[in-house]
Amino acid sequence: MRKVNVFDTTLRDGEQSAGVNLNFEEKMEIALQLERLGVDIIEAGFPASSPGDFRSVKAIADMVKGSSVTGLSRSVQSDIDTSWEALKGGAEPRIHVFLATSPIHMKHKLRKTPDEVVETAVASVKYAAKFFPHVQWSAEDACRSDIDFLARIIEQVIDAGASVINLPDTVGYITPKEIGHMFNYLREHVPNIHKAALSCHCHDDLGMAVANSLAAIEAGADQVECTINGIGERAGNASLEEIAVALRIRNDFYQAETGLKLNEIKRTSTLVSKLTGMVVPSNKAVVGANAFAHESGIHQDGVLKEKTTYEIITPELVGVSSNRMVLGKHSGRHAFKDKLNELGYTATEEEINKVFKAFKDLADKKKEITEDDIFALMTEERVGSAVAYYEVENIQVNYGTTNIPTATITLKTPEGESLQEAATGSGSVEAIYNTLERMIDSTVTLQDYRIQSVNGGRDALAEVYVKINFDGVESSGRGTAHDVLEASAKAYIDAINRVLNRKLKDQALAKQVKV
Ligand code: KIV
Ligand code: ZN
């Protein structure tokens, strides 16, 4: 079995999805989970693109030791210098330099001749190789490039020091047959190709990203670039979980494997969906809610007699069975801490104390606490508290089918004061949001509101996602609570807190610049 390296770009290309804006703590949480999943390379961001990206890439490179951490860089020295500053503390510092090679991009975007493009690519790789033990070079829009020009530039960047050559289908244009041909052709026509690993990076504009990635692997690609849940620019990137599971289930055909812990897939997918606010469709392969549901009578009958009649992937393979009850009301702190360790968390004593308290509160209301509940509480603690500004202290809602819904809320301000206000609305959630809007004394437009439960059951935890426009700034927020109204209020305040926190950080940054 040949090993294919998995290069995850959820935190870079995935974060380029419209409407996704992860904060520092969320990026850390995703990076830790990617390490747990066992990805070979984490593309943590684009260090030169913003101070925020620089900070998170550096922190991830310094923290993650089980995966190699990389960052994207344009073919300019200042980007490479910034990337080195961000990545040098990593286990295996690796840079990802890119330059477009298609006629359309060279002419209209770069305004460079093909010779100038070769010169720039070679110079940037040579410069990067002075610092980095691993240099990956990407031919942006490779799949619409002239194949002989590609062969020429690849040969020269390998001579300049590139050890990985990535061939992106930047606009999701290629077909499986064509990408297979491209990889085979380059293997045969680039004399020094054996000195570098070949990588594919497919986008999903025509819905072929996974099929194209698998075709590239079939044609010998050593590395596959992908994102969790297939999130990314426009229609997204190739989905990691679909590629990984296809390679496992059809290893008879592909004769290739990844080093991933497949039973971490579901949890990784849930975390990314939760933090990005990008919902996984129910019918999505491998991680959708219906991926293992058998609906028709004939199918159910078949599965009851013999699972393999209609089930080619077991839910356990991708970690869907974690839904079981794990702790109850009488479980103590010790059992709780053991469970956190078993779930792969290294938590501080302070974190354990806080989440244990939240667990005890939940256990008073909910009979069975599942791994998914603990996971939800832990995520809430780690990424929720990071954006505290206003805090909802108390909510009371008066609702009746013939009454006007009224909410009364107590909110704690950053100065520690308690504010109280009441307002009405046409429904309970609207009453809550009208009250909160009045309290923060600014116009807030609600653009999206979604609610879902953590597992089934009438006593399940509720998770609410909102998108708002507050003071002209778009923001999203999440809230988890046992009650849907409390979760709704928390999500709204979370979205507001994110804007206020960002403003505070910008002010602090501006002060530093002045100094
Ligand atoms: O799609 C693309 O071409 C990219 C490159 C920057 C690697 O994401
Ligand atoms: Zn891309």
Side-chain angles (χ1 to χ4, degrees):
M1 232 16 105
R2 195 165 65 84
K3 162 99 193 296
V4 174
N5 278 342
V6 175
F7 176 117
D8 180 277
T9 181
T10 305
L11 292 172
R12 200 276 299 169
D13 225 341
E15 224 238 342
Q16 286 173 223
S17 307
V20 171
N21 195 351
L22 297 165
N23 66 25
F24 180 82
E25 288 74 18
E26 290 165 336
K27 287 181 187 172
M28 297 301 121
E29 209 52 26
I30 291 177
L32 281 173
Q33 182 55 31
L34 291 172
E35 186 186 25
R36 244 177 247 138
L37 173 65
V39 308
D40 299 282
I41 299 141
I42 298 174
E43 186 164 48
F46 185 169
S49 68
S50 70
D53 243 40
F54 176 86
R55 179 170 166 247
S56 55
V57 173
K58 180 165 172 34
I60 292 171
D62 292 347
M63 168 183 76
V64 169
K65 297 298 167 217
S67 310
S68 171
V69 177
T70 192
L72 187 68
S73 168
R74 286 169 301 182
S75 301
V76 290
Q77 289 196 0
S78 56
D79 270 27
I80 297 168
D81 290 338
T82 307
S83 297
W84 176 242
E85 284 310 310
L87 292 161
K88 65 185 177 192
E92 274 182 66
R94 180 181 294 260
I95 190 166
H96 178 190
V97 196
F98 75 101
L99 191 61
T101 51
S102 67
I104 303 177
H105 278 233
M106 290 192 291
K107 181 169 172 211
H108 300 290
K109 189 181 80 173
L110 300 179
R111 302 212 168 108
K112 279 187 194 284
T113 64
D115 284 348
E116 286 169 335
V117 168
V118 175
E119 202 182 304
T120 309
V122 166
S124 63
V125 169
K126 270 193 183 151
Y127 186 71
K130 285 190 197 163
F131 307 95
F132 288 88
H134 303 281
V135 177
Q136 164 165 329
W137 182 78
S138 277
E140 191 189 9
D141 207 13
C143 299
R144 292 193 299 168
S145 301
D146 175 79
I147 191 100
D148 290 313
F149 175 64
L150 264 187
R152 179 180 147 212
I153 195 167
I154 289 171
E155 183 182 352
Q156 298 204 30
V157 292
I158 292 176
D159 277 344
S163 52
V164 181
I165 300 295
N166 181 41
L167 302 170
D169 182 19
T170 304
V171 292
Y173 179 77
I174 208 162
T175 66
K177 204 166 172 183
E178 288 169 318
I179 202 170
H181 173 258
M182 182 172 90
F183 273 75
N184 285 326
Y185 186 94
L186 292 170
R187 279 211 184 281
E188 282 160 21
H189 291 81
V190 178
N192 55 0
I193 199 81
H194 58 281
K195 292 189 183 160
L198 272 188
S199 163
C200 60
H201 172 115
C202 299
H203 280 269
D204 208 31
D205 299 67
L206 295 176
M208 291 192 277
V210 170
N212 285 335
S213 305
L214 291 169
I217 290 171
E218 205 185 326
D222 310 284
Q223 174 176 298
V224 61
E225 302 199 358
C226 38
T227 59
I228 302 298
N229 301 335
I231 64 169
E233 260 312 323
R234 307 180 307 281
N237 289 55
S239 126
L240 177 145
E241 58 281 1
E242 292 180 23
I243 295 170
V245 172
L247 290 179
R248 168 65 66 86
I249 300 296
R250 295 308 313 273
N251 59 15
D252 57 321
F253 179 77
Y254 290 108
Q255 296 288 312
E257 63 185 359
T258 67
L260 296 178
K261 292 192 196 81
L262 297 185
N263 61 3
E264 287 288 337
I265 280 183
K266 179 66 180 179
R267 185 169 155 197
T268 317
S269 161
T270 307
L271 180 72
V272 169
S273 170
K274 192 190 289 231
L275 300 189
T276 57
M278 293 198 66
V279 176
V280 175
S282 315
N283 64 334
K284 165 101 167 54
V286 181
V287 290
N290 293 350
F292 304 99
H294 301 280
E295 187 64 22
S296 98
I298 295 175
H299 285 211
Q300 287 176 351
D301 178 56
V303 170
L304 284 174
K305 287 177 176 148
E306 168 55 47
K307 275 192 177 169
T308 53
T309 49
Y310 288 103
E311 200 172 271
I312 61 162
I313 314 167
T314 62
E316 292 77 22
L317 180 74
V318 293
V320 169
S321 52
S322 68
N323 228 348
R324 62 208 163 88
M325 183 265 206
V326 288
L327 294 171
K329 178 176 173 154
H330 300 295
S331 308
R333 192 178 178 283
H334 196 80
F336 183 75
K337 192 175 167 183
D338 283 352
K339 194 71 218 169
L340 286 183
N341 288 341
E342 198 189 308
L343 288 173
Y345 284 115
T346 19
T348 62
E349 287 303 308
E350 196 191 340
E351 272 174 341
I352 297 171
N353 290 343
K354 282 192 186 158
V355 187
F356 183 62
K357 184 177 176 313
F359 155 74
K360 280 289 185 187
D361 288 348
L362 182 63
D364 272 344
K365 300 171 191 154
K366 189 171 186 282
K367 222 164 76 197
E368 299 182 343
I369 308 288
T370 65
E371 284 186 356
D372 288 352
D373 290 326
I374 295 176
F375 181 48
L377 293 178
M378 194 65 189
T379 309
E380 176 80 359
E381 164 55 29
R382 286 204 160 163
V383 303
S385 57
V387 288
Y389 194 94
Y390 286 114
E391 211 179 299
V392 179
E393 273 188 337
N394 189 42
I395 307 176
Q396 192 185 326
V397 179
N398 198 340
Y399 173 80
T401 43
T402 51
N403 298 352
I404 296 174
T406 312
T408 310
I409 300 181
T410 314
L411 202 60
K412 195 160 142 204
T413 67
E415 294 77 32
E417 270 175 57
S418 281
L419 300 178
Q420 205 176 48
E421 188 60 85
T424 59
S426 57
S428 304
V429 174
E430 200 198 350
I432 290 173
Y433 289 177
N434 287 345
T435 313
L436 289 172
E437 189 182 36
R438 196 176 276 180
M439 293 173 105
I440 56 164
D441 198 19
S442 249
T443 312
V444 182
T445 324
L446 184 66
Q447 297 178 329
D448 195 4
Y449 172 94
R450 280 181 253 147
I451 183 159
Q452 64 179 34
S453 67
V454 176
N455 309 148
R458 59 177 86 170
D459 60 355
L461 275 175
E463 272 180 351
V464 171
Y465 166 89
V466 297
K467 197 157 137 203
I468 59 161
N469 190 306
F470 168 47
D471 264 356
V473 183
E474 269 197 5
S475 172
S476 57
R478 290 179 315 276
T480 306
H482 193 248
D483 183 88
V484 294
L485 297 181
E486 188 184 338
S488 301
K490 278 184 163 179
Y492 191 86
I493 280 297
D494 182 48
I496 286 166
N497 283 348
R498 280 165 196 265
V499 178
L500 297 171
N501 270 280
R502 229 175 291 152
K503 281 189 182 159
L504 279 184
K505 274 189 191 142
D506 288 350
Q507 280 165 8
L509 222 63
K511 260 193 206 152
Q512 275 175 18
V513 172
K514 267 192 197 148
V515 171

